[in-house]
Amino acid sequence: MKWLDNWFTKGTRRIARNTSRRDFLSRVGVAMVGTAAIPLLPVARASAAESPRAPQPAEEGDPLSCEYWRHCAIDGYLCGCCGGSANSCPPGAEPSPVTWIGTCRNPVDGRDYIISYNDCCGKSACGHCLCNRNEGDRPVYQPAKSNDINWCHGTKTNIYHCSTSVVLGLAVAD
Amino acid sequence: MKWLDNWFTKGTRRIARNTSRRDFLSRVGVAMVGTAAIPLLPVARASAAESPRAPQPAEEGDPLSCEYWRHCAIDGYLCGCCGGSANSCPPGAEPSPVTWIGTCRNPVDGRDYIISYNDCCGKSACGHCLCNRNEGDRPVYQPAKSNDINWCHGTKTNIYHCSTSVVLGLAVAD
Amino acid sequence: MAAALLTWCALAQGVAAESPAPLVAEQIGVAKLGAPTPHWLFVGDTNFLGYLDSKVYLFDGDTGAMLGMLSTGVWGNAVELAPDFSAIYVPEMYYSRGTRGERTEVLTTYDTTDLKPMGEVIIPAKRATGIPHRAYQGITDDGRFVLIDNMTPATSVSVVDVVAQKFVAEIEIAGCNLVYPTGNRSFASLCGDGTLQQIELDDHGNLKSRTRSEKFFDPDKDPVTEKASRFGDTWLFISFDGNVHAVDFAGGTIKLTKPWALFNDVERKATWKIGGGQFNAVHNQTGRLYVIVHQGGPYGHKESGKDVWVYDLATHKGVAQIPLASPASSIGVTKDAAPLLVTSDPAMPGAVVYDALTGAHQRTIEGPPFTPASIQSP
Amino acid sequence: MAAALLTWCALAQGVAAESPAPLVAEQIGVAKLGAPTPHWLFVGDTNFLGYLDSKVYLFDGDTGAMLGMLSTGVWGNAVELAPDFSAIYVPEMYYSRGTRGERTEVLTTYDTTDLKPMGEVIIPAKRATGIPHRAYQGITDDGRFVLIDNMTPATSVSVVDVVAQKFVAEIEIAGCNLVYPTGNRSFASLCGDGTLQQIELDDHGNLKSRTRSEKFFDPDKDPVTEKASRFGDTWLFISFDGNVHAVDFAGGTIKLTKPWALFNDVERKATWKIGGGQFNAVHNQTGRLYVIVHQGGPYGHKESGKDVWVYDLATHKGVAQIPLASPASSIGVTKDAAPLLVTSDPAMPGAVVYDALTGAHQRTIEGPPFTPASIQSP
């Protein structure tokens, strides 16, 4: 994850120093969405996508339990307990295109994976299966790695409903 | 209380039968405020009034307990637990000029008193000292005697904060 | 950037070539509701400690799984379901500053496949609020008009044409209150003097005629509660003392019938009483009435009960007594041939599911709903 | 009618002439707040199960009595108190349809005698939300400007002139976040690269200058939490591993100092760690730092603790260990010479009050607040 994190802080700082505020805000907005959203689809495609509710073959454990390996840095209500799943929002909720990212180890293959904790937005608190795990969680001045932040950004509203744990790919140490 | 109740139902029905809808609504609005508000002060004066927070000499018991004699038909959060008292709203809340009315017996003098359960309005639920006693409570088609109704009517908003139990006077059987 | 990522993923997977194939990258999706079943349960959450944020939860009664949720604004009461379940209608109230500012009320229409709002109709900002009551709103039998009870405290009913998606009329019901649909173009309201009135609507939803019944209960000695159940063309109004007043609205008339008692003398002596929120429900197919009962003193008409007694509506005889797993204030019975009995209590988050025919406890659904009220099914 | 009533009352009282005088008719009133004391406690209620309906409760720490309440909209975070307690400022967020529609954000000013809104200033609809953080907002030392942290996720700070009651400026803090007031015209923000920046404002509240510190902590190996405490001109930033980075902002400069450790080797071996929400607080008069601690594994930086350890900020030595009556996530210490230590935990409604000098448990205040967060005092 370091490469991503360094890119983020260095990148944004560099922009900050050389541009006016308005110019900055627009560009960093883009830059950050780019950063956190690299491995994500645009919302439009995401919503259209079939949502694989079942875990993948090489996984084990209960996706509705806070201890499920993917939830290692989650903070919120599990969407799987709210009508969605570990990688799909409940009906009528809108996935956040921007998100925070954790690294969790899959006990089945012993590999570290990048997990994207997209929030589902547009309905108030689901209230079921509240989980708070903080492996690799960072303070909110490192937004891309902070689970305290309401990530309902870039969505129609910032009303938080529940959280997902989406596998983005293998984590590679640098 | 019968006289009041009969007046209310007969009175409103009579008006209903002889007038157009718009005319009716305006007049009944007035009539009912008149009905329930007879023994009450206009809001303006009420708000200005000193609020006697202590019970009167001829009372005993804990005004913050659901068992307190005045609360015999209350349904809601006791304002005395919310920054007000049995006969005053908490700071910033607005007393409802319209209300439901119960009859409770004061154990000290053995007399029946008319109690006005004015709601305090304009702030969301206080959440403290929830009481529900239903002595003499009637269904909502008898509004003047129903504690199910949100009586934040005639106030700036219908947002309910807590309930009071105000002594209006002696009840007289007819 | 996307291209770069692909390279980086491929590389990563190459590195791990020996061991089993790594998990594939996923795309986040949005779930849709499956085909509705008669055991779907809409449970209203007044959320009393935060009632500006009321909700309606949708559960599958057969599994207990939460299927979805609606946010229903301030003072949420219940939903109205289109007879063909093509839409969900919800009266919603909002203030521009939460507890201050401008009050706006709407009837919102939600899609039954994705629970998204499809549209809203502005209605008079007068809706009756407080403790939820099923009869604070209703829908005509054909699903054309949604009826919303108003109290300012002057009482009236707002009529919304949900097909045309427009507000039609406000009909005053002075001295009366509440909405009990009685057909495609009519509803009844209970009155403070022990009568009821039936309002007939024209095809546009405007007032066509108003019929008044004779006095059929004593509002002072033994009032009927406002929590009634419908059995075909008949509404069953149950009194504080447990007397059932069945009123038949077939053919647009009001036919009063002789009240019958839920409790015999022995049961009365044992202080058995009705009580709760929506303490009664009917299963039309079997013609059975379900009533939450408890033992206790006077003024117990809102007390929860630990038992549900079941009556045959043909014989008026008790046919079953169901001891509950936990106290209940409100109940609902699903409409199908293998009905569920579902109970809720504002003092206990969640809902409890029983077999309505055997009374067997099937499951307890954990809350939220935090302070559950209405229980409704397709 | 009023005249009729008087006759009727007089008559009634005449009837009961023999027995003691009946109770007199009362007038409903509206309570006002008394003179503020240093032990008044503003406890924020995020109300997570109904966060559209967030609140701030005001309690008297000496009696536990609730004195009043503010409704603070969606995602309530904390209040700002004028230094002379002449006003309470609250950033509030609203949607025109609760969870949908137009988003409006305001800074509302409340009267400190009757808790009524006196006015509001519209601010950019960008406020950072989620888990509450004290440093998501602040007020300049002279009470002139309220500072509100924005995240879209691009970060900036909104500046509101509360004297003129107008929004002044949005100042970007790219790569940094949060608001730590450092004087009448300045504040600091923490940055993702282990530095901080100080923003100086002109007399109108616009950006005057920006100063950047050297890197003073390692954001990867041992980041400081965003939950800091102020001691005079110094802000104390405490790291995950319990190292205290004191940064002195006296005279508009940024003076970094050598970090010191809350835990010695023995304590580290015993896995003592910091953790919680606002897990630390300072009592300026005695120069003491209060820290919630617990024993546990890695990633415990948000775990509640059953103990509060007290440190002398002059010697950096531990001077007291306070076992708590119940686990705490956040603490506050009142400003007076007989300070109260107040704890809250989102898992336990209410708040708990201790003597901050002796650690003696004084009282537990029952909730709501349902999910308490911030604790603030005049």
PDB file of all heavy atoms in Angstrom, chain B residues 81 127-128, chain D residues 57 59 64 66 348-352 363-370:
ATOM      1  N   CYS B  81     -37.574  15.867  33.798  1.00  0.00           N
ATOM      2  CA  CYS B  81     -36.305  15.150  33.594  1.00  0.00           C
ATOM      3  C   CYS B  81     -35.527  15.712  32.413  1.00  0.00           C
ATOM      4  O   CYS B  81     -34.484  15.170  32.042  1.00  0.00           O
ATOM      5  CB  CYS B  81     -36.567  13.668  33.358  1.00  0.00           C
ATOM      6  SG  CYS B  81     -37.392  12.827  34.723  1.00  0.00           S
ATOM      7  N   GLY B 127     -36.010  12.014  25.651  1.00  0.00           N
ATOM      8  CA  GLY B 127     -35.542  10.646  25.884  1.00  0.00           C
ATOM      9  C   GLY B 127     -35.454  10.220  27.339  1.00  0.00           C
ATOM     10  O   GLY B 127     -35.162   9.064  27.616  1.00  0.00           O
ATOM     11  N   HIS B 128     -35.727  11.129  28.272  1.00  0.00           N
ATOM     12  CA  HIS B 128     -35.626  10.784  29.703  1.00  0.00           C
ATOM     13  C   HIS B 128     -37.000  10.618  30.338  1.00  0.00           C
ATOM     14  O   HIS B 128     -37.946  11.312  29.988  1.00  0.00           O
ATOM     15  CB  HIS B 128     -34.841  11.869  30.444  1.00  0.00           C
ATOM     16  CG  HIS B 128     -33.375  11.856  30.145  1.00  0.00           C
ATOM     17  ND1 HIS B 128     -32.452  11.172  30.913  1.00  0.00           N
ATOM     18  CD2 HIS B 128     -32.663  12.414  29.130  1.00  0.00           C
ATOM     19  CE1 HIS B 128     -31.251  11.329  30.403  1.00  0.00           C
ATOM     20  NE2 HIS B 128     -31.344  12.079  29.318  1.00  0.00           N
TER      21      HIS B 128
ATOM     22  N   TYR D  57     -26.756  17.237  24.573  1.00  0.00           N
ATOM     23  CA  TYR D  57     -27.403  17.331  25.882  1.00  0.00           C
ATOM     24  C   TYR D  57     -26.570  18.220  26.795  1.00  0.00           C
ATOM     25  O   TYR D  57     -25.341  18.175  26.765  1.00  0.00           O
ATOM     26  CB  TYR D  57     -27.559  15.954  26.514  1.00  0.00           C
ATOM     27  CG  TYR D  57     -28.672  15.127  25.913  1.00  0.00           C
ATOM     28  CD1 TYR D  57     -28.473  14.398  24.737  1.00  0.00           C
ATOM     29  CD2 TYR D  57     -29.935  15.077  26.499  1.00  0.00           C
ATOM     30  CE1 TYR D  57     -29.503  13.652  24.176  1.00  0.00           C
ATOM     31  CE2 TYR D  57     -30.959  14.332  25.948  1.00  0.00           C
ATOM     32  CZ  TYR D  57     -30.737  13.624  24.788  1.00  0.00           C
ATOM     33  OH  TYR D  57     -31.763  12.884  24.230  1.00  0.00           O
ATOM     34  N   PHE D  59     -25.955  18.896  30.762  1.00  0.00           N
ATOM     35  CA  PHE D  59     -26.167  18.393  32.115  1.00  0.00           C
ATOM     36  C   PHE D  59     -25.426  19.266  33.121  1.00  0.00           C
ATOM     37  O   PHE D  59     -24.437  19.914  32.792  1.00  0.00           O
ATOM     38  CB  PHE D  59     -25.630  16.956  32.260  1.00  0.00           C
ATOM     39  CG  PHE D  59     -26.339  15.934  31.419  1.00  0.00           C
ATOM     40  CD1 PHE D  59     -25.770  15.484  30.232  1.00  0.00           C
ATOM     41  CD2 PHE D  59     -27.566  15.413  31.807  1.00  0.00           C
ATOM     42  CE1 PHE D  59     -26.421  14.536  29.450  1.00  0.00           C
ATOM     43  CE2 PHE D  59     -28.218  14.467  31.041  1.00  0.00           C
ATOM     44  CZ  PHE D  59     -27.643  14.026  29.863  1.00  0.00           C
ATOM     45  N   GLY D  64     -26.069  15.929  38.077  1.00  0.00           N
ATOM     46  CA  GLY D  64     -26.461  14.945  37.067  1.00  0.00           C
ATOM     47  C   GLY D  64     -27.749  15.320  36.364  1.00  0.00           C
ATOM     48  O   GLY D  64     -28.193  14.621  35.453  1.00  0.00           O
ATOM     49  N   MET D  66     -30.401  16.934  33.873  1.00  0.00           N
ATOM     50  CA  MET D  66     -30.417  17.459  32.512  1.00  0.00           C
ATOM     51  C   MET D  66     -30.947  18.882  32.563  1.00  0.00           C
ATOM     52  O   MET D  66     -31.979  19.151  33.171  1.00  0.00           O
ATOM     53  CB  MET D  66     -31.303  16.597  31.607  1.00  0.00           C
ATOM     54  CG  MET D  66     -31.451  17.135  30.194  1.00  0.00           C
ATOM     55  SD  MET D  66     -32.395  16.011  29.133  1.00  0.00           S
ATOM     56  CE  MET D  66     -32.657  17.073  27.701  1.00  0.00           C
ATOM     57  N   MET D 348     -22.216   2.886  25.684  1.00  0.00           N
ATOM     58  CA  MET D 348     -23.004   3.032  26.909  1.00  0.00           C
ATOM     59  C   MET D 348     -23.663   4.404  26.966  1.00  0.00           C
ATOM     60  O   MET D 348     -22.968   5.419  27.100  1.00  0.00           O
ATOM     61  CB  MET D 348     -22.121   2.842  28.144  1.00  0.00           C
ATOM     62  CG  MET D 348     -22.920   2.731  29.446  1.00  0.00           C
ATOM     63  SD  MET D 348     -21.877   2.820  30.928  1.00  0.00           S
ATOM     64  CE  MET D 348     -21.881   4.607  31.208  1.00  0.00           C
ATOM     65  N   PRO D 349     -24.999   4.450  26.852  1.00  0.00           N
ATOM     66  CA  PRO D 349     -25.679   5.751  26.943  1.00  0.00           C
ATOM     67  C   PRO D 349     -25.341   6.476  28.243  1.00  0.00           C
ATOM     68  O   PRO D 349     -25.148   5.832  29.279  1.00  0.00           O
ATOM     69  CB  PRO D 349     -27.162   5.365  26.909  1.00  0.00           C
ATOM     70  CG  PRO D 349     -27.202   4.063  26.182  1.00  0.00           C
ATOM     71  CD  PRO D 349     -25.935   3.352  26.602  1.00  0.00           C
ATOM     72  N   GLY D 350     -25.254   7.815  28.164  1.00  0.00           N
ATOM     73  CA  GLY D 350     -25.005   8.609  29.353  1.00  0.00           C
ATOM     74  C   GLY D 350     -23.555   9.035  29.479  1.00  0.00           C
ATOM     75  O   GLY D 350     -22.797   9.039  28.510  1.00  0.00           O
ATOM     76  N   ALA D 351     -23.173   9.416  30.694  1.00  0.00           N
ATOM     77  CA  ALA D 351     -21.814   9.875  30.981  1.00  0.00           C
ATOM     78  C   ALA D 351     -21.508   9.575  32.444  1.00  0.00           C
ATOM     79  O   ALA D 351     -22.417   9.385  33.249  1.00  0.00           O
ATOM     80  CB  ALA D 351     -21.683  11.374  30.702  1.00  0.00           C
ATOM     81  N   VAL D 352     -20.224   9.516  32.774  1.00  0.00           N
ATOM     82  CA  VAL D 352     -19.813   9.202  34.139  1.00  0.00           C
ATOM     83  C   VAL D 352     -18.922  10.322  34.655  1.00  0.00           C
ATOM     84  O   VAL D 352     -18.048  10.807  33.927  1.00  0.00           O
ATOM     85  CB  VAL D 352     -19.076   7.852  34.206  1.00  0.00           C
ATOM     86  CG1 VAL D 352     -18.826   7.454  35.648  1.00  0.00           C
ATOM     87  CG2 VAL D 352     -19.867   6.769  33.489  1.00  0.00           C
ATOM     88  N   ARG D 363     -20.758  10.324  40.143  1.00  0.00           N
ATOM     89  CA  ARG D 363     -22.102   9.909  39.697  1.00  0.00           C
ATOM     90  C   ARG D 363     -22.068   9.405  38.264  1.00  0.00           C
ATOM     91  O   ARG D 363     -21.161   9.738  37.495  1.00  0.00           O
ATOM     92  CB  ARG D 363     -23.105  11.056  39.807  1.00  0.00           C
ATOM     93  CG  ARG D 363     -22.841  12.250  38.879  1.00  0.00           C
ATOM     94  CD  ARG D 363     -23.817  13.368  39.162  1.00  0.00           C
ATOM     95  NE  ARG D 363     -23.950  13.614  40.589  1.00  0.00           N
ATOM     96  CZ  ARG D 363     -23.069  14.314  41.300  1.00  0.00           C
ATOM     97  NH1 ARG D 363     -22.010  14.811  40.706  1.00  0.00           N
ATOM     98  NH2 ARG D 363     -23.244  14.491  42.575  1.00  0.00           N
ATOM     99  N   THR D 364     -23.069   8.589  37.951  1.00  0.00           N
ATOM    100  CA  THR D 364     -23.278   8.151  36.572  1.00  0.00           C
ATOM    101  C   THR D 364     -24.563   8.788  36.076  1.00  0.00           C
ATOM    102  O   THR D 364     -25.610   8.670  36.703  1.00  0.00           O
ATOM    103  CB  THR D 364     -23.362   6.613  36.506  1.00  0.00           C
ATOM    104  OG1 THR D 364     -22.103   6.060  36.886  1.00  0.00           O
ATOM    105  CG2 THR D 364     -23.712   6.160  35.091  1.00  0.00           C
ATOM    106  N   ILE D 365     -24.449   9.520  34.977  1.00  0.00           N
ATOM    107  CA  ILE D 365     -25.613  10.190  34.384  1.00  0.00           C
ATOM    108  C   ILE D 365     -26.226   9.248  33.362  1.00  0.00           C
ATOM    109  O   ILE D 365     -25.562   8.811  32.422  1.00  0.00           O
ATOM    110  CB  ILE D 365     -25.191  11.516  33.716  1.00  0.00           C
ATOM    111  CG1 ILE D 365     -24.620  12.478  34.758  1.00  0.00           C
ATOM    112  CG2 ILE D 365     -26.379  12.135  32.979  1.00  0.00           C
ATOM    113  CD1 ILE D 365     -24.019  13.742  34.169  1.00  0.00           C
ATOM    114  N   GLU D 366     -27.495   8.899  33.582  1.00  0.00           N
ATOM    115  CA  GLU D 366     -28.190   7.986  32.677  1.00  0.00           C
ATOM    116  C   GLU D 366     -28.382   8.633  31.311  1.00  0.00           C
ATOM    117  O   GLU D 366     -28.634   9.835  31.210  1.00  0.00           O
ATOM    118  CB  GLU D 366     -29.565   7.638  33.253  1.00  0.00           C
ATOM    119  CG  GLU D 366     -29.518   6.975  34.613  1.00  0.00           C
ATOM    120  CD  GLU D 366     -29.386   5.466  34.498  1.00  0.00           C
ATOM    121  OE1 GLU D 366     -30.208   4.841  33.792  1.00  0.00           O
ATOM    122  OE2 GLU D 366     -28.429   4.918  35.067  1.00  0.00           O
ATOM    123  N   GLY D 367     -28.295   7.795  30.265  1.00  0.00           N
ATOM    124  CA  GLY D 367     -28.549   8.318  28.933  1.00  0.00           C
ATOM    125  C   GLY D 367     -30.017   8.360  28.634  1.00  0.00           C
ATOM    126  O   GLY D 367     -30.801   7.825  29.408  1.00  0.00           O
ATOM    127  N   PRO D 368     -30.509   8.962  27.532  1.00  0.00           N
ATOM    128  CA  PRO D 368     -29.653   9.563  26.527  1.00  0.00           C
ATOM    129  C   PRO D 368     -28.853  10.755  27.054  1.00  0.00           C
ATOM    130  O   PRO D 368     -29.282  11.322  28.033  1.00  0.00           O
ATOM    131  CB  PRO D 368     -30.627   9.972  25.425  1.00  0.00           C
ATOM    132  CG  PRO D 368     -31.995   9.819  25.965  1.00  0.00           C
ATOM    133  CD  PRO D 368     -31.915   9.081  27.241  1.00  0.00           C
ATOM    134  N   PRO D 369     -27.740  11.082  26.373  1.00  0.00           N
ATOM    135  CA  PRO D 369     -27.232  10.699  25.057  1.00  0.00           C
ATOM    136  C   PRO D 369     -27.140   9.187  24.866  1.00  0.00           C
ATOM    137  O   PRO D 369     -26.656   8.479  25.747  1.00  0.00           O
ATOM    138  CB  PRO D 369     -25.849  11.350  24.981  1.00  0.00           C
ATOM    139  CG  PRO D 369     -25.490  11.665  26.400  1.00  0.00           C
ATOM    140  CD  PRO D 369     -26.785  11.946  27.079  1.00  0.00           C
ATOM    141  N   PHE D 370     -27.626   8.749  23.687  1.00  0.00           N
ATOM    142  CA  PHE D 370     -27.726   7.334  23.385  1.00  0.00           C
ATOM    143  C   PHE D 370     -26.374   6.796  22.921  1.00  0.00           C
ATOM    144  O   PHE D 370     -25.945   5.729  23.363  1.00  0.00           O
ATOM    145  CB  PHE D 370     -28.788   7.142  22.297  1.00  0.00           C
ATOM    146  CG  PHE D 370     -29.060   5.715  21.943  1.00  0.00           C
ATOM    147  CD1 PHE D 370     -29.552   4.837  22.899  1.00  0.00           C
ATOM    148  CD2 PHE D 370     -28.829   5.245  20.655  1.00  0.00           C
ATOM    149  CE1 PHE D 370     -29.802   3.509  22.580  1.00  0.00           C
ATOM    150  CE2 PHE D 370     -29.088   3.924  20.333  1.00  0.00           C
ATOM    151  CZ  PHE D 370     -29.567   3.057  21.292  1.00  0.00           C
TER     152      PHE D 370
END
